[in-house]
Amino acid sequence: MFQLPFPVFDVNASAGSDNLGALPEWDLSDLYTGEDAPELTRDLDWLQGECAAFATDYEGKLAELDADGLLTCVLRNEKINQIAGRIMSYAGLRYYQLTTDAGRAKFMSDMQEQITVITTPLVFFTLELNRIEDDVLDGHFAANTDLARYKPVFGRIRAMKPYQLSDELEKFLHDLGVVGDAWERLFDETIAGLTFTVDGEELNIEGTLNLLTEQDRSKREAATRELSRVFNDNIKIFARVHNTQAKEKEIVDRWRGMPTPQTGRHLSNHVEPEVVEALRKAVVAAYPKLSHRYYELKRKWLGLDRMQVWDRNAPLPMEDTRTVAWEDAEKTVMDAYSAFDPRMGDIAEPFFTKGWIDAGVKPGKAPGAFAHPTVTDVHPYVMLNYLGKPRDVMTLAHELGHGVHQVLAAEQGEMLSSTPLTLAETASVFGEMLTFRKMLDAAETQEQRKILLAGKVEDMINTVVRQIAFYDFECKLHAARAEGELTPDDINILWMSVQAESLGEAFDFVEGYETFWAYIPHFVHSPFYVYAYAFGDGLVNALYSVYAEGDEGFEEKYFDMLKAGGSKHHTELLAPFGLDASDPKFWDKGLSMISDMIDELEAMET
């Protein structure tokens, strides 16, 4: 089933206040001008005809094709993906702008169902590819260099070969996919429709989560208690969504013979399970020297005997609480990007000037932030919920990094441009690091440096420690669901089992916090997605160390890495920098950067 790829939601997205200046909005006309656009009707008609023709021309015949014939087949399949992707990108982006609008939800659902039906005849394509013998394919690659470009795509497809079902069952699962999508939409619409009342003001989830970063501790506490109240009032819906999604996954995995619930994600990420486990172990082992140590420092800065969960993202007492206007945020990020390499600034500039960013917080808009690549003959779109906090500037830098990466990778074409999640965070986290370092270099006082360092450490802990804790929660959730239905209390217990371990002894956990698993979209949309954040952060920390050491030709090698998209394995992409993610010491190198920053913060105290 073709579906809109789950957006790359930013884990640290936040909100702020007013006086932001003119915020940009999306211009989606580069995709389609409206639901009734004649180009949309044309593309749907073409898609229906081409999918039927493709099946007629190739079903049952792939093994008989020579190299040139197989290339033609692949190029036709790629064009189908491009047209279907354009349609679903348009439908999905309009929906995320206003998830509570019934018309937009219906349009997206209708498009998904139509494209699912239209593309059902194509299910044979990957199944038959996997039946071609390895030596035959190798011969085709040797005979046609244009076809050989697609070898990485074939490799990812054929990685699923051991878990492939019969043609009939694969078509059944293809058609059934729209049912799973309905549960995801139920989650999205429930989250977007929640209302919270704090100090007499009615807020959506984005505005309420924003209060967790307020200077006023009483506001942070009030927001936390209101979040827990509303989550608890809706907890049965969230538990039903998680139970259903996890059970559906368990059934499909069992039929496919997947050895673990995580296997499918590792395969799609083109990463070895042992590499992910090495990352997980390294981060968990580092909890004491990272999050535990930092939060003990923060407890002292805040003047508290014990920290509560509403203090985790609290600003420091001396922190600047000014609102960052949009034009200032744009200048900060663009200056950092251009200083690294003017080409990066040139690629980023159209996002601000051509309607490629939707920045404002609006009722019904999806929370968080993401970058969606759409299709390779259009351009990416970035969604933010920008309200002027300093952390929002880093979110802009993060999402713009995704956008730059997606623009550069587009030259690979539809099937090779898509980057595995483990590498998709590379340019985004690197963009954050460039912005942070430029701001740090500009710090005029020790206090300013301390605030910037503390903010970066918190973001890195949220990206590494928190996300690995999320991953452990998901592992426990799926293992428990395989044994039977989970009550909300069962899920709450699993959630709390990873929170204390990851955050450390500085914290108490207020009653109600056990429900905070309920609003994390990744658990529903893309199980086991979250370790990609930690992977990306660790990778970029190691990569930035190479850059900071003055590696000759770094910028050119970095651009080449981004341009490669999904055409190379992580070992090939990192080799020019002398890095190897399969080496356990690689992760220690990345984690050491965070530890070194905490060392500097501790030294400031003495």
Side-chain angles (χ1 to χ4, degrees):
M1 180 191 64
F2 185 88
Q3 58 183 341
L4 178 71
F6 178 60
V8 183
F9 279 97
D10 172 41
V11 294
N12 295 325
S14 65
S17 54
D18 299 327
N19 306 316
L20 302 173
L23 295 174
E25 293 187 356
W26 279 336
D27 176 4
L28 298 179
S29 62
D30 288 343
L31 293 165
Y32 297 104
T33 56
E35 293 183 17
D36 57 354
E39 294 83 2
L40 177 59
T41 302
R42 175 203 67 199
D43 285 351
L44 281 167
D45 290 344
W46 179 88
L47 200 61
Q48 184 159 18
E50 177 59 12
C51 287
F54 187 90
T56 299
D57 293 343
Y58 294 115
E59 188 166 13
K61 305 168 187 174
L62 286 192
E64 302 168 8
L65 296 175
D66 60 14
D68 293 346
L70 186 56
L71 175 62
T72 300
C73 174
V74 168
L75 293 175
R76 285 179 64 180
N77 181 71
E78 191 166 44
K79 181 65 175 178
I80 288 169
N81 287 338
Q82 188 175 74
I83 297 301
R86 178 187 284 261
I87 294 168
M88 285 313 304
S89 291
Y90 177 71
L93 291 172
R94 286 184 74 252
Y95 171 72
Y96 284 118
Q97 277 186 303
L98 190 59
T99 62
T100 52
D101 181 81
R104 296 188 186 209
K106 172 180 165 51
F107 177 71
M108 187 175 78
S109 179
D110 286 349
M111 290 300 98
Q112 182 70 83
E113 290 184 13
Q114 282 191 55
I115 288 177
T116 297
V117 171
I118 288 170
T119 58
T120 294
L122 306 185
V123 172
F124 79 90
F125 178 67
T126 56
L127 305 180
E128 288 192 27
L129 278 181
N130 284 346
R131 295 192 189 109
I132 300 174
E133 295 296 329
D134 289 343
D135 59 345
V136 173
L137 266 185
D138 289 340
H140 290 338
F141 294 145
N144 190 310
T145 54
D146 289 334
L147 179 65
R149 281 191 66 246
Y150 292 91
K151 191 172 182 178
V153 176
F154 282 74
R156 286 195 284 274
I157 292 172
R158 290 168 76 81
M160 283 294 295
K161 185 175 181 177
Y163 313 111
Q164 190 168 291
L165 300 174
S166 68
D167 292 12
E168 188 175 23
L169 276 175
E170 291 290 354
K171 289 180 180 179
F172 171 75
L173 290 176
H174 176 91
D175 283 351
L176 194 65
V178 294
V179 179
D181 291 346
W183 287 98
E184 293 177 19
R185 289 212 330 276
L186 172 63
F187 172 83
D188 290 339
E189 290 163 13
T190 301
I191 285 289
L194 295 179
T195 57
F196 306 82
T197 304
V198 183
D199 295 338
E201 183 180 4
E202 189 172 284
L203 302 166
N204 63 9
I205 191 169
E206 197 69 38
T208 311
L209 289 170
N210 165 62
L211 295 178
L212 300 183
T213 62
E214 284 290 320
Q215 281 281 10
D216 187 338
R217 194 174 190 233
S218 66
K219 285 187 178 181
R220 301 198 304 269
E221 178 179 357
T224 301
R225 294 190 184 280
E226 178 67 356
L227 286 163
S228 66
R229 182 190 70 79
V230 174
F231 292 158
N232 190 63
D233 287 348
N234 293 273
I235 203 67
K236 289 184 179 179
I237 294 176
F238 294 122
R240 173 59 47 221
V241 170
H242 281 68
N243 268 286
T244 304
Q245 293 286 77
K247 184 59 180 178
E248 180 188 35
K249 187 178 190 313
E250 186 272 327
I251 292 170
V252 174
D253 285 351
R254 175 159 39 87
W255 274 77
R256 291 193 181 283
M258 295 275 187
T260 72
Q262 300 83 9
T263 298
R265 174 62 58 209
H266 299 335
L267 288 171
S268 67
N269 283 343
H270 202 38
V271 65
E272 300 76 14
E274 55 270 22
V275 172
V276 177
E277 185 58 19
L279 164 65
R280 193 198 73 81
K281 285 182 176 179
V283 173
V284 172
Y287 284 170
K289 72 175 183 179
L290 299 182
S291 50
H292 296 187
R293 190 160 61 114
Y294 174 74
Y295 288 128
E296 183 57 28
L297 268 177
K298 187 168 186 177
R299 181 190 66 76
K300 295 176 183 176
W301 293 334
L302 294 174
L304 300 172
D305 292 328
R306 300 284 296 165
M307 286 180 54
Q308 297 290 341
V309 291
W310 54 76
D311 299 315
R312 183 174 63 83
N313 285 323
L316 302 185
M318 71 294 287
E319 189 166 328
D320 183 4
T321 57
R322 71 184 177 90
T323 296
V324 182
W326 176 255
E327 65 178 18
D328 294 331
E330 176 182 343
K331 184 177 188 309
T332 298
V333 176
M334 284 294 291
D335 285 352
Y337 274 38
S338 297
F340 170 73
D341 191 302
R343 290 174 294 176
M344 188 175 285
D346 291 342
I347 296 168
E349 191 266 342
F351 283 85
F352 295 97
T353 60
K354 294 188 176 181
W356 299 3
I357 299 176
D358 196 297
V361 175
K362 306 161 196 170
K365 183 178 176 181
F370 65 75
H372 179 52
T374 70
V375 287
T376 55
D377 62 344
V378 186
H379 55 76
Y381 284 91
V382 164
M383 192 195 84
L384 305 171
N385 278 277
Y386 186 86
L387 283 173
K389 287 288 182 71
R391 186 167 287 170
D392 291 332
V393 180
M394 301 308 293
T395 300
L396 171 60
H398 181 103
E399 301 307 337
L400 201 61
H402 282 306
V404 168
H405 194 174
Q406 291 159 358
V407 168
L408 287 169
E411 66 185 45
Q412 294 289 343
E414 213 62 45
M415 294 175 73
L416 284 164
S417 63
S418 180
T419 309
L421 291 178
T422 43
L423 297 171
E425 293 300 322
T426 304
S428 55
V429 180
F430 195 82
E432 279 191 80
M433 185 64 77
L434 290 173
T435 304
F436 163 71
R437 290 292 179 181
K438 189 163 185 64
M439 294 168 70
L440 191 67
D441 290 343
E444 297 177 353
T445 66
Q446 189 81 335
E447 187 172 90
Q448 288 178 357
R449 185 175 181 87
K450 177 179 178 179
I451 291 168
L452 287 166
L453 279 171
K456 185 59 177 173
V457 167
E458 287 202 14
D459 284 348
M460 294 167 97
I461 287 174
N462 282 337
T463 305
V464 178
V465 170
R466 188 163 167 78
Q467 299 307 308
I468 288 299
F470 282 0
Y471 177 66
D472 281 349
F473 165 72
E474 284 191 277
C475 292
K476 292 183 176 186
L477 174 73
H478 284 263
R481 182 63 184 92
E483 301 299 319
E485 178 86 6
L486 300 176
T487 67
D489 284 344
D490 292 334
I491 304 177
N492 292 347
I493 290 169
L494 296 176
W495 173 256
M496 293 307 298
S497 73
V498 303
Q499 292 302 303
E501 178 189 21
S502 63
L503 295 179
E505 293 296 322
F507 282 92
D508 289 331
F509 296 93
V510 67
E511 183 179 354
Y513 180 68
E514 66 274 6
T515 63
F516 274 48
W517 53 268
Y519 79 96
I520 309 297
H522 308 77
F523 300 156
V524 175
H525 283 277
S526 195
F528 307 110
Y529 177 114
V530 289
Y531 75 73
Y533 287 119
F535 193 108
D537 198 273
L539 187 154
V540 166
N541 287 346
L543 198 63
Y544 195 87
S545 295
V546 176
Y547 171 59
E549 291 164 3
D551 180 57
E552 186 177 352
F554 181 92
E555 291 84 355
E556 204 61 46
K557 287 187 282 188
Y558 180 74
F559 273 88
D560 287 344
M561 179 174 66
L562 300 190
K563 289 176 183 177
S567 67
K568 294 181 179 179
H569 190 265
H570 62 79
T571 53
E572 295 178 82
L573 291 173
L574 292 175
F577 304 96
L579 299 172
D580 180 5
S582 64
D583 181 354
K585 294 179 181 178
F586 172 85
W587 301 113
D588 293 334
K589 185 180 181 73
L591 295 173
S592 292
M593 180 178 286
I594 309 175
S595 184
D596 290 346
M597 290 183 182
I598 300 174
D599 288 344
E600 183 175 347
L601 288 168
E602 285 183 334
M604 289 179 181
E605 296 302 294
T606 59

